[in-house]
Amino acid sequence: MFKPLMILVAFVILSATSAQAARIKDIARIEGVRSNQLVGYGLVVGLNDSGDSQSTEFTVQSLANMLERLGVAVDPGQIKVDNVAAVMVTAELPPFAKAGASIDALVSSIGDAESLVGGTLLMTPLKGPDGQVYAVAQGPVVVGAIAFGGKAATVQKNHPTAGRVPDGALVEREVQLDFGVGNQLTYRIHQADFTTISRISRVVNERFGGDIARSVDGSSLQVSIPEFYHDHKIDFIAALEELEVRPDTVARIVINEKTGTIVMGEDVRIATVAVSHGNLNLVISESAQVSQPNPLAEGDTVVVPETEIEVTEEIGNLVVVERGVSIGEIARGLNAIGATPRDLIAIFQAIKASGALHAELVIL
């Protein structure tokens, strides 16, 4: 239920940004040039009694195995892990990352640790989907959160069981990327659209001449590297990606009923419709009446419930919303009804059902 002072209504007018051109590098990428995800299991030590409990058996086992590899013989039953937390470490290996480069590592607790504040991540190998180690992470964990308290009250800010090790992972293995095989480049746009891919092809051909760019489908574009750039492939890619193209978008209205957010695209159109919307308010009041017998009379004292119901319905004026030629006119027409965000969500759904909304309605 929406609170009066906490309602957020966002009619985002995208005409200003959509009309402007975007660089090809911002809306498309070269096939084969991509990042890779890495994951590893490790231990965070140095916590202040905020680590895993003794019931977290894999933490005890991991600590015992690590100490044995370091030449320390221990009895797992005698190990206390109050200052240790088992964590999963993740990282993203960017394209063209070379051995020795530093990348950020994300640390997340997988046990019942209360906080990772002040902890240090021990050396953790990070593996790719093929099982090979591509990076090794180690270093102090930056949490950016606090969590203190006692038996009666606690204070917490942000999330204390997840943090980051800035530049804490060193790349150990490079990923070979193949692009531009046979002097051919394949670009894939982030949002598949036939109009956008056609505009990119036209802009590239106009800039470099000839017919070097060819649309394959709604998301792919093949570009033949001109002979002049065969020995300067990087220069050609840089020049191509700096070209500006105006991407096309689908007419869409996105609604988040939980937050009351409504986002409308530039190309949304509504046919002429008449809208009437009124709220029905139902107020139920419960009270109790005590019924007592007369003095010296037989009977018992009883409590009799009493219910009062009041029904009020707001007057819903019939408002004609003219065919909108712009998102601004649509917003003004709907604002004339005086509807709340929850009302607007219902109105959009009703207009869509009537066939008068010429846009895709997405409800989150």
Side-chain angles (χ1 to χ4, degrees), residues 317-363:
N317 296 324
L318 194 64
V319 178
V320 177
V321 180
E322 297 290 344
R323 177 180 177 85
V325 296
S326 69
I327 190 173
E329 294 184 9
I330 294 175
R332 284 191 293 271
L334 294 176
N335 287 335
I337 304 175
T340 64
R342 195 179 192 91
D343 297 333
L344 290 175
I345 293 173
I347 290 172
F348 276 126
Q349 291 175 333
I351 294 176
K352 178 68 174 180
S354 70
L357 178 62
H358 306 312
E360 180 183 353
L361 189 62
V362 179
I363 300 178

Side-chain angles (χ1 to χ4, degrees), residues 289-295 297-304:
Q289 298 291 335
V290 179
S291 176
Q292 292 181 324
N294 294 327
E298 296 182 357
D300 298 325
T301 300
V302 295
V303 178
V304 180

Side-chain angles (χ1 to χ4, degrees), residues 34-61:
R34 45 159 290 182
S35 59
N36 293 273
Q37 295 178 330
L38 307 177
V39 65
Y41 170 82
L43 295 175
V44 171
V45 299
L47 305 178
N48 186 16
D49 290 334
S50 60
D52 293 336
S53 63
Q54 293 299 123
S55 60
T56 311
E57 296 182 2
F58 53 83
T59 304
V60 177
Q61 181 181 355

Side-chain angles (χ1 to χ4, degrees), residues 237-254:
I237 295 175
L240 186 150
E241 292 187 343
E242 286 296 323
L243 298 179
E244 294 186 345
V245 177
R246 184 171 65 87
D248 198 36
T249 56
V250 178
R252 181 178 293 138
I253 299 177
V254 181

